[in-house]
Amino acid sequence: MSGKFVKVKCPKCNNEQNIFSKPATVVKCLVCEDVLAKNTGGECSVSATVIQILE
Ligand SMILES: [Zn+2]
């Protein structure tokens, strides 16, 4: 299974957070609990703005 860590910015509160690009579960913003990414049956959907891809 491949995946990357990405730095995203929460669209709601502009909090910057590192998340896994293929999460097994829902990833929420640590500040406002807005959903940043979720796994929808194998397909990962990142709804937050990706500002950097971390290796
Ligand atoms: Zn937020």
Side-chain angles (χ1 to χ4, degrees), residues 9-15 17 28-34 36:
K9 181 182 270 190
C10 175
K12 230 178 205 178
C13 70
N14 290 330
N15 171 51
Q17 193 172 317
K28 290 180 179 179
C29 174
L30 294 174
V31 177
C32 71
E33 299 200 323
D34 199 32
L36 300 179

Side-chain angles (χ1 to χ4, degrees), residues 4 12 14 19 25 32-33 43 46-47:
K4 285 177 179 170
K12 230 178 205 178
N14 290 330
I19 66 169
T25 55
C32 71
E33 299 200 323
E43 289 278 311
V46 178
S47 52

Side-chain angles (χ1 to χ4, degrees), residues 29 38 52:
C29 174
K38 61 184 170 185
Q52 191 183 349

